[in-house]
Amino acid sequence: MQFHHHGYVSGDPRVQPAAGTGLDRPTELPDEMDVLIVGSGPAGMLLAAQLSQFPDVTTRIIERRDGRLAIGQADGIQPRSVETFQAFGFAPQIVAEAYNIGWMNYWTPDPEHREHIIRTTRQADYAKDISEFPHLIVNQARVLDYFAEAALRGPGRITPDYGIEFLDLTVHETGGHPVEVKLRHVAGARTGEERTVRARYVAGGDGARSQVRESIGRKHLGAYAAHAWGVMDVTVETDFPDWRTKCAINAEAGNILLIPREGGYLCRVYVDLGAVADDDHHRVRETPLEATVEKANEILNPYTLSVRQAAWYSVYEVGHRVTDKFDDVDVDAEGTPHVFLMGDACHTHSAKAGQGMNVSMQDGFNLGWKLGSVLTGRSGDALLSTYSAERQPVAQQLIDFDREWSSLMARKPEEIDDPQELATFYLATSEFPSGFMTQYTPSMITADASHQSLATGYPIGKRFRSAEVVRVCDGNVEHLGHHHLADGRWRIYAFADRPAQGEASALADWGQWMIASPKSPLVRYTPAGADRDAVFDVKVAYQQRFEDVDLLAAPEVFRPLCGSLHLMNWEKVYAAGDGHDIFEERGLSRDGVVVVVRPDQYVAAVLPFTDADALGVFFSAVMLPQTSV
Amino acid sequence: MQFHHHGYVSGDPRVQPAAGTGLDRPTELPDEMDVLIVGSGPAGMLLAAQLSQFPDVTTRIIERRDGRLAIGQADGIQPRSVETFQAFGFAPQIVAEAYNIGWMNYWTPDPEHREHIIRTTRQADYAKDISEFPHLIVNQARVLDYFAEAALRGPGRITPDYGIEFLDLTVHETGGHPVEVKLRHVAGARTGEERTVRARYVAGGDGARSQVRESIGRKHLGAYAAHAWGVMDVTVETDFPDWRTKCAINAEAGNILLIPREGGYLCRVYVDLGAVADDDHHRVRETPLEATVEKANEILNPYTLSVRQAAWYSVYEVGHRVTDKFDDVDVDAEGTPHVFLMGDACHTHSAKAGQGMNVSMQDGFNLGWKLGSVLTGRSGDALLSTYSAERQPVAQQLIDFDREWSSLMARKPEEIDDPQELATFYLATSEFPSGFMTQYTPSMITADASHQSLATGYPIGKRFRSAEVVRVCDGNVEHLGHHHLADGRWRIYAFADRPAQGEASALADWGQWMIASPKSPLVRYTPAGADRDAVFDVKVAYQQRFEDVDLLAAPEVFRPLCGSLHLMNWEKVYAAGDGHDIFEERGLSRDGVVVVVRPDQYVAAVLPFTDADALGVFFSAVMLPQTSV
């Protein structure tokens, strides 16, 4: 965390100084804004927190509810999401309050007494191997609280406008604020009042029955599966020994997915309510809690549970739907999108793989920096077309994965040859449920793989996987990626070639090009008067041990002056070592390599020092020239 | 973190439900209270946070300033203090915002050019070996903010009464509220108004010129040393390569202790202003910032620094003083104390060993649970005499250590034979500056060492050193000690003998005694109607791997029903394993052992299972019988 460079900060450094539209932000929703976010779910709230880092943009977020979410809904948090929380500054806090999934246990019928279940397998959760971040369970309400705090602490001081319902929108062909939106106040003093506002862009995160989606005529394709589940958040009295461990229970009487919840007592229990007849017409949704508890007891036999308090209960039929396109430009048509769909508004599926909230947040993370870049004139609006192009295939993969996982979960024991099969499937595919399988294909923001061999551990299009390095200025071991905050900036990591600082090297030449060449992205795309690292955060990691690195002899590009006090930033120079070697761990060329990472943490390009111009060419496709520094 | 056992918690689980005096707490300082804390420094604020966990006690804290501390003062945080922050629930947050001391570098004159300094030694900070917690630098203002948050989130909802100055007090011999205190409003609407309030107890944390100390006639013994230091919090332009590393610089021109501060730019610089003449009469305190900066440049030669912003500047003469007794009962007299001194009010010394704030916080931690226990009728008031008895010797040790460290730091280079000497001294004594050397001697709350051999890694009288264990209910690796929150409860750890759960064992017999014997502390001292773990948190750690432990067959004492929902607490059963073995790491007997830990985390007793009565005898000296559960 860096601060004091604009002057001494006495209070909480997480509260950034208000700026731009965050100064004297009107309490009431204005008539005109840059971005209108519809819905304060995970995608919408992340988007608000992200756009709070672009205080020159007017962003408002409306929500039909009259206040914060209190209960229920999603709770599974992938390691990729915890990584994202780190970028928004609240990973340690939420980890401390969440349930940490260490293990997943599998129960099946006892071959001796098939009406009884026995524990067949204990499996360490995939998160232990796949990431430095854990796999958590915490209520969506708390995730939203943390994003709300981040949005309010950012310079844009964004906070939701509660009690406002989205009715309809029209995208006009011209005008600075082409999207006309009809709204209705449904809570507070103005209840019942309808109004029309105008926005440059609208982001619809308004859930499975999205009115934004309906307004732009997008189709939500797919079907409900003929299978129902009862889901309850309960505290109980039980003799089931794995009550505090995640379990997949596959009994003669049906199936349970058991998810312990934060706080040490509560669990979420998904109880299989079986196949739903074609003519059921959703009557299964009327199943009372008592029936679901009774069913759970049948499945848990010889164990029992008796509910002390049910905090939440719902019945759902597994649906798998994905929208054909996530913006308002028709498939195969050309043009600039002005309306975007995120989260459940464009992909719905079962809750049991713990995916929904996570994928939705990544929708918001993908869209946020793009809107910010375009609205601040850093990038042209063609960038916005990449949102649907990137996220729609991810949603399709999610639906496919979830369909397979759901049907594996819902099988009858006699359909299962290998009792280990479920465990094997889950572990083999762990990169997916952990959130790390997304790989964007080449586009204006994802380079081709011609130099991938220089950094085999940073697959282009996948998220930048952090590794430990030593910060030279203080010798502290740091996770390089954890300093990639969600501040809308690109990261350019220079992994040095062999020579020491001050000696002739490919790094030194590249560093000089970066500060001096008219083709350098730093020179072309950093606005006049801004800090040199305002748009691109350029860091170096040397191959030497930190004691052998002379920080003050590192190329000037890695020692920019920052803040209104023009202080040298000491925290951009790193070294390998202290039991780790990022060059080994991430397959980095000893001749050096440049890794470019997007503001949403995905690797955009891998390039050699010797072709600096290629870096310039890459950014010329996405950035707009500024009056240089 | 455990919650939901009183019903579903939707919001921030760190905010505990208000209770007792925290319900409808009056905004204005009342005329009568149980505890009046004078001064909102580290000792006072910790004490407030601790007493917020005793909501049946009326606690108020007054502060002369009209609001929170904004700037300056202490900033060194020992690992023991971070351990304490963990107990108050904010360690991860403050670690994320602090400067982490990884290294300490030593500079001395270059033998070739003695007017130049060179780096002689790099030394990894002691914290790397001595604790799982780091050694931090963060402004006292932020530490106070976090304690203020903890005090306000606790059930007592305590928050400081700002703008009230302490004038004087009189301790009467009789009456329920024997301490009569004169105060004056010095800010706000009532400025100038004097009033008299009454308290059962007063805790004076009102600084080096403590009026509480004067009121009770205690003497602050010691002297100012004839040596002055200029201290400044500055952002600079510099070519000194270790600007972001803690350094002891010992030059021909004088000495600097350099302490990088949180935020990446600011440093605290202690500049040696040399010996002070006997007739100086504190004129050295008028030394201007410019002179101190000039001196710093002479010391840093050949490097230079130029100040961009000085956030804080002060000159002090090193004083070493300690008060003869920390309460109002005269030395060698008998009686119950009603007034206590904490922090700078009873021990003052140089700032450079980074001790002051830390020792002060431990004063507050020591006193807090004792006041809470006495005022809630758990203990008799004899307990309060142990405060001065325990803390005064600690302060004396601190003064002795600091005197040695300060004079080592202030030596001239020609007085130094071995340039490594300073580094060697610092590392050899690291248990002291890290905060772990305190060892209380036998008393009513510290048993003798007759069974110490059963747990050699838990020296009686020293703080309980955490170790990793596996929580059986979910298989997660947990630091056992990190669950010891500052909730005023005693911890009783049963480290099991060899047999498995359900088999005959010394543990099983002891567990039965604990819930059934009239001599058991659980039976005698737990109030009627309270949870079984309301006063004593009793946990077990088995020798077996967690997969082999049958939690539901563990003795009932480790599976209490908790909260208004009477839910079984699953988080009291642990196992060795996962690469660690607490039995090996802490020298625990394989025949089992009971380790008793005080509410302030110090080991009180080590006892065998086979002498359960000894546990009863130990607690009979400190606890008062309650109407049993």
Side-chain angles (χ1 to χ4, degrees), chain A residues 1-5 7-8 10-14 68-71 92-93 96-97 99-103 122 139 142 146 235-236 238-241 243-245 261-266 308-309 311 473-476 546-547 552 562 565-571, chain B residues 1-5 7-8 10-14 68-71 92-93 96-97 99-103 122 139 142 146 235-236 238-241 243-245 261-266 308-309 311 473-476 546-547 552 562 565-571:
Chain A
M1 210 180 296
Q2 289 190 284
F3 46 95
H4 293 322
H5 50 308
Y8 190 79
S10 162
D12 187 343
R14 294 170 184 88
R68 72 181 275 277
L69 178 70
I71 208 162
Q93 291 92 315
E97 101 183 50
Y99 175 84
N100 181 353
I101 302 180
W103 295 79
R122 287 183 194 265
N139 190 350
R142 292 295 296 147
Y146 280 106
T235 48
V236 304
T238 186
D239 57 356
F240 181 64
W243 178 247
R244 297 299 305 160
T245 305
R261 283 279 298 270
E262 64 278 12
Y265 296 96
L266 190 78
R308 285 289 169 82
Q309 188 183 48
C473 72
D474 56 17
N476 278 317
F546 88 94
E547 298 96 322
L552 295 167
C562 292
L565 295 172
H566 301 290
L567 301 173
M568 191 182 104
N569 190 326
W570 291 70
E571 303 199 351
Chain B
M1 211 179 296
Q2 288 190 283
F3 46 96
H4 293 323
H5 50 308
Y8 189 79
S10 163
D12 187 345
R14 294 170 184 87
R68 71 181 276 277
L69 177 70
I71 208 162
Q93 292 92 315
E97 103 185 48
Y99 175 83
N100 182 355
I101 303 180
W103 295 80
R122 288 183 193 266
N139 189 350
R142 293 295 295 147
Y146 280 106
T235 48
V236 305
T238 186
D239 58 356
F240 180 64
W243 178 248
R244 298 299 305 158
T245 304
R261 283 279 298 271
E262 64 277 14
Y265 296 97
L266 190 78
R308 286 288 169 81
Q309 187 182 48
C473 72
D474 56 18
N476 279 317
F546 89 94
E547 299 97 323
L552 294 168
C562 292
L565 295 172
H566 301 289
L567 301 173
M568 191 182 103
N569 189 325
W570 291 71
E571 303 198 352

Side-chain angles (χ1 to χ4, degrees), chain A residues 325-407:
Chain A
K325 195 154 181 290
F326 289 5
D327 63 33
D328 61 320
V329 175
D330 290 343
V331 178
D332 299 327
E334 292 196 357
T336 303
H338 289 89
V339 181
F340 306 90
L341 302 174
M342 312 178 295
D344 287 357
C346 48
H347 44 81
T348 53
H349 49 86
S350 92
K352 291 186 311 304
Q355 295 299 304
M357 173 158 54
N358 300 280
V359 175
S360 299
M361 288 191 282
Q362 295 303 317
D363 288 346
F365 206 7
N366 186 292
L367 181 58
W369 70 272
K370 294 175 181 176
L371 283 171
S373 299
V374 170
L375 284 163
T376 54
R378 292 185 193 174
S379 301
D381 58 12
L383 177 60
L384 297 174
S385 299
T386 64
Y387 170 71
S388 179
E390 291 189 333
R391 296 306 296 173
Q392 205 274 351
V394 170
Q396 189 60 58
Q397 283 167 22
L398 165 63
I399 302 306
D400 296 343
F401 174 83
D402 183 67
R403 191 180 283 124
E404 190 166 357
W405 175 243
S406 296
S407 51

